[in-house]
Amino acid sequence: MEKRRGDMAAEQMADDDGPGERPDDRELRPAGGTPHLAPRPLDAIDRDILRILQTDGRASIRSVADRVHVSRANAYARINRLIDDGVIRGFTARVDHERAGQGASAYITLKIVQNSWRTVREKLQALPGAAHIALVSGDFDVLLLVHTPDNRTLRELVLTRLQSIPEVLSTRTLLVFEETDLNRRLPADEP
């Protein structure tokens, strides 16, 4: 299994590879993109498990099972299914970027050459401090969130690194003065 499951499994789960792929899994392939599994409906227990793990990604299987009133084996199988189905994409820590030495943050909008998204995405992923990249509609094509140690490093990133990418036609930098992490969770009444 991949490391994403192994991280949680090493300390919290039994040595079980889970149910594996089911014959009814259908892959969707966006044009030129990587395959995606078709969405699966989540029941109330799945949604409760997701809410627990969104609040505390380090919650033990025993704790999750107790809180959603299922056996540990059932909780383990459900979490593995949510991972295998791509509903859970991984487990991370929420970081205070300023306290971690990344005191300058900015959203950068980019206009790019038509049909160059895949090339630009690869180059943006390699940028130091790149935190989020989105292909969007509207007045610009790409929205990039970056965290850097200071404004000088941010300036270098924009003026030297980004603007030297041949497919980038223009950029606009929006400095972030203050952030609030909403840590949105699934609503309780979502089907």
Side-chain angles (χ1 to χ4, degrees), residues 50-58 90-95 179-187:
L50 289 174
R51 275 190 283 280
I52 291 166
L53 293 176
Q54 284 178 308
T55 302
D56 179 8
R58 297 176 61 180
F91 299 90
T92 69
R94 289 191 315 262
V95 176
E179 295 181 85
T180 301
D181 182 6
L182 300 178
N183 191 29
R184 296 280 187 208
R185 293 185 286 280
L186 292 174

Side-chain angles (χ1 to χ4, degrees), residues 56-121:
D56 179 8
R58 297 176 61 180
S60 68
I61 294 296
R62 179 182 303 231
S63 168
V64 171
D66 289 346
R67 291 171 64 185
V68 298
H69 310 291
V70 297
S71 70
R72 283 189 314 209
N74 188 332
Y76 172 78
R78 284 174 176 269
I79 290 170
N80 279 335
R81 182 180 50 81
L82 291 167
I83 291 169
D84 291 343
D85 288 351
V87 175
I88 295 176
R89 297 186 305 174
F91 299 90
T92 69
R94 289 191 315 262
V95 176
D96 181 321
H97 294 283
E98 191 168 346
R99 291 188 53 93
Q102 301 290 305
S105 296
Y107 285 96
I108 303 168
T109 66
L110 297 89
K111 288 187 181 181
I112 62 173
V113 172
Q114 187 173 3
N115 296 322
S116 65
W117 164 241
R118 287 173 195 82
T119 302
V120 171
R121 178 181 56 200

Side-chain angles (χ1 to χ4, degrees), residues 98 102-108 144-147 151 154 173-180:
E98 191 168 346
Q102 301 290 305
S105 296
Y107 285 96
I108 303 168
L144 169 67
L145 172 62
V146 296
H147 302 289
N151 283 340
L154 177 60
T173 303
L174 308 165
L175 292 177
V176 174
F177 296 126
E178 185 176 317
E179 295 181 85
T180 301

Side-chain angles (χ1 to χ4, degrees), residues 1-15:
M1 263 297 114
E2 293 178 22
K3 183 171 175 53
R4 63 190 158 86
R5 179 189 285 169
D7 289 344
M8 189 171 190
E11 295 179 359
Q12 298 175 352
M13 297 182 191
D15 266 330

